[in-house]
Amino acid sequence: MHTITQPSRLSTAQLHKIVAQASTLQERLDEKTYVPLTDETAGTDQLVSLRLDAWCQSAAKGDIAHFERCLAWDGLDLSTARKAVMPVTLRRDSAPPPWSKTFLAALDLIPSISETLSSADAGDAAYRFLDPRSPLPFEELMLPFVLVAQRKLSIAAGNSSQRLAREAHATFERSLLGQLIDTAAQALQLTFARWQLAKQSSFSRLLAKVQPSQSQSLYRQFVQELFGENMASFFLEYSALARMLVTIVDTWVDSQQEFIQRLDADWQDIAAQLWELADQPNELLGQVIEVIPMLSDPHRGRRSVIALKIAPDFRVVYKPKPMGSEQTYNQLISWLNRKGCPQDLKALRVVSRDTYGWIEFAEWVPCNNIDQVESYYRRIGILLCLVYALEGVDCHYENIIASGEHPILIDTETLMHHRVKDLLLEDSQTAQRLAFSQVNHSVLRTALLPVWELQDDKDSNYDYSGLGSHVQQKKHLKELQWTSINNDQMSLRLQDFTVEVPRDNVPTLNGEPVELSDWIETVIQGFEQMYRFLIANREALTARESLLWKMANQPIRHVVRATNI
C-alpha cells in the first residue's frame, strides 16, 4: 500500500527546534534550559508584539491594565511576558525534555509500519485496532503513536494486562487512535489540501468536483511522502501538535496502566462483593471481553469512566474518582428500604477505594406489565423527593436509568450540592430575581422534572431532564464533518447534522415509551408518601452518626454553570 524511501528520523537540530517551538510560556522563562534566539531577523520585535497583543486580547479583551493584573496573579509583568513569547532555542548543554523521547520512539516505528502497510490489506490484520469497515481519517499517520503507546503500556502493566482479552485492548487502542486523530485532524487536512494544490492541475481539481471518485492514489502518495521526507517539515510547522500527541499518548498509558493494575488488585473483591452477591452462577470470572471507554468527560490526566463486561456475562463500571458519595448514597437507599420506604428503591453494590471504585452496572430493562409501569412512576416520585431533600442537582437524562420498575440514579456527585449566596437578590429584590430564587429552591432544581431549552438553531427545543421526553429527541448540531474518508477527495467541512439522543431514562411497555403525563398523579403520590416518610424518620436521619452526616463529608462536584461549551 505505502512505501517510503527517505528516513523519518529527525536530525538533532530539527528535534531541538521542534522542542523549542513547543515549549510552554513558563518553560521559556527557564534560562537554564532555553535562551532567546540571537540570529533572528529584524522581524522578531514585530512578532513578539503581535504575540503579546494576541495574549492581551485573549486574556483581557485588549485592556492592558486588566492584562497586567492577570499577569501579576501568575507572578509576571509585561517585561517577563514579552520574554516568554520571544522565539527561543534549546541551550546546547541542555538535554531535550522527556516527551521528545516518546516522540522519537514513535517516529522510529515508521519504517516497519510502512513495510507492513505496503502489503495489500496487511495493515488491517496486523493492527487489531483498525477496522476496514469504518476507517478513521488519516489513521495510518497516527499508527506510530498508537503503537508506541501499546508497547509502553505492555511494559508498564506487565502480567496484569492479561485480565483483558485482545478485543478489549483493541477497543481501548482504537479510542486512543480517535483522540489522536481529533487532535491532528485540521493540521493534517490543511497539509493534504495544500499538497493536492501542488500535485493537481486546476482542470483535475475541477473534474474531481463534477465526477466524484473513490480513487486513493493521491491519498496514498501523500501518506507515503509524509511518512518520509515531509515528516520533519510537518512537525517543524506544527511543533505544538507533536507535543500534544505525545501528551495524549503518555497520559493514556498512565491512566490505562492505573486502570489495569487496579482491576487486577481488586479482582477478588469485585468477584466477591459484586459478582457473587448478584445471585450469579457459582463459576469463576473470565477475562474482560468488552469495554466502553470515555463514558465521561476526561479529568485528572484524561481519566474517564469505563464500563466493562467480564466473561461469562457480568458488567461493572469503573470510576476513577472517590466513590464515597456513591457508596454512602446506596447505603442510605438500603437503610431507607429497611426502615419501610413507601416502595423499595434499588441500591447498587459498590467497591470503594480512596481515589476510585467499582459499581454495579445499571442496565436499561423494559417494563413487563402495567403494574410495573405504575411502580416505576411511584418510585420516580419517591426518588424526586429524596434527591430534593438531599439538595441534588444536575440529575439529567444521562444520569437516570429506567431498569424495569426501578429508576436508578447512576451519578451522585452532585448530591448535597452547596448553594451560592445570591448577593444580587439581597441588594435588589426584583420580581424576576425573586421568581428565579423560588425556582432554585424548588424540585425544579434537581433537573429531574421536564424542562426545555432552546437549541443552537433557535428553532427547536430540547428536554435534557432526568425524566426526559418520551418522544425520541434529536439534537441539531453544527460540527466539522469528514467526507470521502481516506480517498483523494477527502475533506473536512462544517455541516449541520442531527443525532438521536439515547432514551435509557425512559420506561417502555410492549416496545413503546410510556408517557410521564399519563402518570403525574402517581408521581405526586410517591413524592408525598416519601416526604411524610422522611419527616417521620427525621430524628434518625439527622442523628450525628447517621448516613446523612457521612454523606455530608464526601467530596462532591459543584456545578457553577452549564458545562456545555
Side-chain angles (χ1 to χ4, degrees), residues 19-282:
V19 165
Q21 291 179 163
S23 59
T24 66
L25 296 177
Q26 289 293 340
E27 288 170 347
R28 288 165 181 250
L29 295 174
D30 181 4
E31 296 179 353
K32 295 181 179 179
T33 306
Y34 296 97
V35 293
L37 283 173
T38 56
D39 59 348
E40 290 293 289
T41 64
T44 299
D45 287 341
Q46 183 180 5
L47 175 63
V48 170
S49 296
L50 286 173
R51 288 177 173 178
L52 205 59
D53 289 344
W55 188 1
C56 178
Q57 187 64 40
S58 174
K61 298 182 179 180
D63 185 332
I64 189 67
H66 187 192
F67 182 50
E68 288 186 274
R69 289 196 297 272
C70 292
L71 291 174
W73 293 338
D74 290 325
L76 304 175
D77 55 28
L78 284 176
S79 176
T80 51
R82 186 174 183 83
K83 183 180 177 181
V85 297
M86 288 184 65
V88 296
T89 185
L90 195 67
R91 293 179 64 100
R92 292 183 178 179
D93 57 347
S94 295
W99 71 262
S100 65
K101 296 180 181 179
T102 301
F103 180 58
L104 289 178
L107 298 190
D108 284 343
L109 295 175
I110 289 177
S112 62
I113 291 171
S114 183
E115 182 178 351
T116 300
L117 294 176
S118 64
S119 302
D121 299 322
D124 297 332
Y127 306 120
R128 61 192 180 189
F129 49 85
L130 294 185
D131 184 356
R133 299 163 299 179
S134 181
L136 299 178
F138 298 111
E139 60 186 7
E140 300 94 334
L141 295 172
M142 292 297 104
L143 286 178
F145 296 95
V146 179
L147 292 181
V148 79
Q150 187 184 79
R151 295 183 181 188
K152 292 181 71 171
L153 178 61
S154 177
I155 295 171
N159 292 334
S160 297
S161 61
Q162 295 177 11
R163 292 290 185 190
L164 275 63
R166 186 178 188 276
E167 295 78 12
H169 281 294
T171 300
F172 280 128
E173 290 157 5
R174 187 168 179 82
S175 175
L176 171 63
L177 177 63
Q179 295 172 50
L180 294 168
I181 290 171
D182 287 345
T183 303
Q186 294 190 51
L188 287 170
Q189 178 57 28
L190 179 59
T191 304
F192 183 43
R194 290 187 311 202
W195 181 88
Q196 284 177 302
L197 285 174
K199 295 291 182 179
Q200 288 182 299
S201 66
S202 299
F203 177 76
S204 296
R205 292 195 299 272
L206 180 62
L207 186 64
K209 289 183 179 180
V210 297
Q211 292 182 348
S213 168
Q214 295 300 313
S215 170
Q216 291 184 305
S217 58
L218 281 175
Y219 172 76
R220 290 181 177 183
Q221 186 181 350
F222 170 74
V223 172
Q224 172 188 337
E225 292 185 13
L226 199 61
F227 261 166
E229 65 270 18
N230 291 342
M231 181 63 74
S233 61
F234 176 78
F235 282 116
L236 284 167
E237 181 176 2
Y238 297 105
S239 300
L241 175 62
R243 185 169 185 172
M244 290 171 68
L245 295 176
V246 170
T247 300
I248 291 172
V249 165
D250 287 340
T251 54
W252 182 87
V253 171
D254 289 344
S255 62
Q256 285 298 113
Q257 175 193 355
E258 182 180 78
F259 159 71
I260 291 172
Q261 291 180 338
R262 286 173 171 178
L263 176 67
D264 189 41
D266 295 337
W267 191 262
Q268 297 303 322
D269 285 343
I270 292 171
Q273 298 180 40
L274 303 183
W275 167 250
E276 294 176 7
L277 292 180
D279 297 325
Q280 300 291 350
N282 186 22

Side-chain angles (χ1 to χ4, degrees), residues 242-484:
R243 185 169 185 172
M244 290 171 68
L245 295 176
V246 170
T247 300
I248 291 172
V249 165
D250 287 340
T251 54
W252 182 87
V253 171
D254 289 344
S255 62
Q256 285 298 113
Q257 175 193 355
E258 182 180 78
F259 159 71
I260 291 172
Q261 291 180 338
R262 286 173 171 178
L263 176 67
D264 189 41
D266 295 337
W267 191 262
Q268 297 303 322
D269 285 343
I270 292 171
Q273 298 180 40
L274 303 183
W275 167 250
E276 294 176 7
L277 292 180
D279 297 325
Q280 300 291 350
N282 186 22
E283 55 183 306
L284 296 177
L285 290 177
Q287 285 183 301
V288 176
I289 56 176
E290 182 181 311
V291 293
I292 307 176
M294 303 298 289
L295 284 176
S296 67
D297 294 332
H299 297 289
R300 302 185 183 96
R302 301 190 69 83
R303 289 161 173 78
S304 65
V305 176
I306 302 169
L308 301 78
K309 181 179 180 180
I310 307 175
D313 188 20
F314 172 57
R315 296 182 181 272
V316 65
V317 176
Y318 165 74
K319 295 191 177 185
K321 63 179 183 179
M323 295 284 285
S325 173
E326 306 223 18
Q327 185 178 50
T328 309
Y329 168 78
N330 284 285
Q331 288 173 345
L332 177 62
I333 293 296
S334 297
W335 184 88
L336 292 171
N337 290 341
R338 292 195 302 271
K339 286 290 184 178
C341 184
Q343 200 150 3
D344 65 297
L345 298 174
K346 182 174 177 55
L348 300 179
R349 289 173 290 273
V350 180
V351 173
S352 178
R353 299 294 185 252
D354 289 341
T355 58
Y356 70 97
W358 313 87
I359 188 167
E360 179 184 357
F361 183 82
E363 185 175 5
W364 178 89
V365 177
C367 292
N368 294 325
N369 51 59
I370 198 67
D371 290 339
Q372 286 194 347
V373 173
E374 182 178 4
S375 295
Y376 177 87
Y377 278 111
R378 190 176 305 279
R379 287 188 174 95
I380 279 291
I382 292 170
L383 181 63
L384 175 61
C385 182
L386 179 61
V387 172
Y388 172 59
L390 293 176
E391 292 281 8
V393 301
D394 205 39
C395 299
H396 52 75
Y397 70 94
E398 291 180 319
N399 288 336
I400 298 291
I401 299 294
S403 185
E405 58 184 315
H406 289 276
I408 302 175
L409 179 65
I410 60 171
D411 196 341
T412 65
E413 65 179 0
T414 54
L415 296 179
M416 311 293 278
H417 196 270
H418 301 80
R419 290 183 180 272
V420 177
K421 190 174 184 180
D422 191 344
L423 298 178
L424 290 175
L425 184 61
E426 292 183 356
D427 294 339
S428 176
Q429 294 192 7
T430 64
Q432 185 183 46
R433 287 173 181 164
L434 286 170
F436 280 136
S437 177
Q438 289 183 7
V439 168
N440 193 41
H441 284 78
S442 74
V443 290
L444 291 174
R445 182 174 187 252
T446 65
L448 274 168
L449 294 178
V451 59
W452 287 265
E453 287 195 351
L454 197 63
Q455 295 199 59
D456 292 339
D457 61 9
K458 306 301 181 184
D459 292 325
S460 54
N461 293 322
Y462 176 69
D463 179 8
Y464 69 91
S465 68
L467 297 185
S469 174
H470 71 281
V471 178
Q472 179 65 68
Q473 295 192 100
K474 296 181 179 181
K475 280 186 177 180
H476 303 284
L477 305 172
K478 185 184 288 289
E479 289 187 357
L480 291 171
Q481 297 288 300
W482 290 98
T483 59
S484 305

Side-chain angles (χ1 to χ4, degrees), residues 511-561:
E512 296 295 327
V514 182
E515 296 189 34
L516 169 64
S517 57
D518 293 336
W519 297 91
I520 292 177
E521 289 302 319
T522 305
V523 173
I524 294 173
Q525 289 171 10
F527 186 95
E528 289 181 347
Q529 290 170 354
M530 188 61 171
Y531 197 96
R532 298 181 191 282
F533 172 76
L534 293 177
I535 290 176
N537 289 274
R538 177 187 298 178
E539 184 175 344
L541 283 166
T542 57
R544 189 67 183 179
E545 302 301 323
S546 71
L547 288 167
L548 278 186
W549 278 90
K550 183 179 178 182
M551 185 179 293
N553 291 316
Q554 302 302 325
I556 67 160
R557 179 170 69 92
H558 184 77
V559 182
V560 179
R561 55 173 172 76

